[in-house]
């Protein structure tokens, strides 16, 4: 024989279990299908490239960035955080990563965009000389779900070599 209090507790427990189950199922499709966005990045121009008074090299780039995240989106997607990094090797570090640009695409917004922009964050190197340096342009993305685990991936775009002289 159940008391009222006991039944209420039972209903609550069932509700919580169902909720957990729905959340688990909701994040399942994200784990099963891992599509890739289509991304394209080009360096259109080196606006300037100079040695700062402090001795650091600094470069300003004009970038052409386009991406289509449509195939990545599910009803469970809250937003997609994207960033573009210049990645290169120096004698001091196997991987130097300089973030050049980033954005947050809310899932309600069209997850397709195209912009021409200068690097939003400074591209400088304190230790090494960037003259003639080759770097990878790597596009990173983080899919932030409404429930479940965040999903991150990246795509190495074109390698680009900086000029051998300051301009
Ligand atoms: C910039 O990217 C867009 C989309 O990928 C492309 O259609 C266009 O030709 C690019 N512009 C230049 C100048 O490369
Ligand atoms: C640049 O990309 C290539 C190809 O994916 C990779 O082999 C190389 O290690 C990358 N370089 C750096 C510094 O990440």
């Amino acid at each position: 024989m159940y008391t009222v209090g006991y039944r209420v507790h039972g209903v609550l427990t069932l509700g919580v279990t169902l909720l957990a189950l729905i959340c688990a199922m909701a994040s399942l499709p994200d784990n099963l299908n891992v599509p890739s966005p289509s991304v394209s990045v080009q360096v259109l121009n080196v606006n300037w490239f100079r040695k700062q008074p402090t001795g650091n090299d600094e470069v300003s780039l004009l970038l052409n960035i386009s991406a289509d995240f449509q195939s990545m989106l599910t009803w469970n997607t809250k937003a997609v955080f994207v960033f573009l990094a210049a990645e290169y090797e120096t004698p001091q570090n196997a991987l130097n990563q300089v973030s050049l640009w980033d954005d947050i695409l809310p899932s309600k917004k069209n997850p397709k965009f195209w912009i021409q922009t200068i690097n939003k964050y400074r591209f400088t190197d304190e230790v090494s000389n960037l003259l003639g340096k080759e770097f990878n342009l790597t596009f990173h993305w983080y899919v932030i779900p409404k429930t479940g685990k965040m999903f991150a991936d990246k795509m190495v775009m074109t390698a680009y070599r900086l000029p051998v002289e300051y301009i």
Side-chain angles (χ1 to χ4, degrees):
M1 193 181 120
Y2 303 104
T3 65
V4 172
Y6 200 92
R7 285 226 305 270
V8 168
H9 179 74
V11 168
L12 266 183
T13 307
L14 182 67
V16 170
T17 309
L18 272 178
L19 198 67
L21 203 68
I22 289 167
C23 287
M25 278 161 52
S27 56
L28 209 58
D30 291 352
N31 299 338
L32 290 182
N33 94 75
V34 237
S36 278
S38 61
V39 183
S40 153
V41 181
Q42 292 109 29
V43 176
L44 295 183
N45 191 34
V46 177
N47 301 322
W48 43 261
F49 185 19
R50 67 184 179 206
K51 193 171 262 308
Q52 297 172 322
T54 53
N56 300 350
D57 277 352
E58 180 170 7
V59 60
S60 166
L61 302 171
L62 179 64
L63 301 161
N64 189 30
I65 308 169
S66 69
D68 184 352
F69 277 87
Q70 191 73 62
S71 68
M72 313 264 320
L73 299 190
T74 66
W75 63 271
N76 191 29
T77 309
K78 192 195 253 167
V80 183
F81 172 69
V82 295
F83 82 95
L84 181 70
E87 297 179 350
Y88 55 97
E89 248 177 80
T90 57
Q92 293 84 10
N93 299 301
L95 176 64
N96 297 273
Q97 190 182 62
V98 180
S99 178
L100 299 179
W101 174 89
D102 63 11
D103 203 2
I104 293 176
L105 316 170
S107 68
K108 286 193 201 82
K109 214 169 90 179
N110 191 348
K112 208 171 157 171
F113 67 90
W114 170 44
I115 58 161
Q116 286 193 3
T117 177
I118 59 162
N119 45 300
K120 188 165 155 187
Y121 305 108
R122 292 157 75 89
F123 186 2
T124 69
D125 195 298
E126 290 144 28
V127 191
S128 90
N129 200 316
L130 289 177
L131 283 176
K133 177 61 74 186
E134 189 175 78
F135 62 89
N136 285 341
L137 277 166
T138 308
F139 195 89
H140 297 255
W141 62 90
Y142 294 85
V143 179
I144 302 152
K146 288 176 181 151
T147 70
K149 272 195 301 199
M150 189 174 77
F151 168 73
D153 207 350
K154 64 178 184 179
M155 197 185 279
V156 178
M157 310 305 298
T158 43
Y160 187 83
R161 190 177 288 282
L162 287 170
V164 294
E165 286 178 344
Y166 296 119
I167 46 175

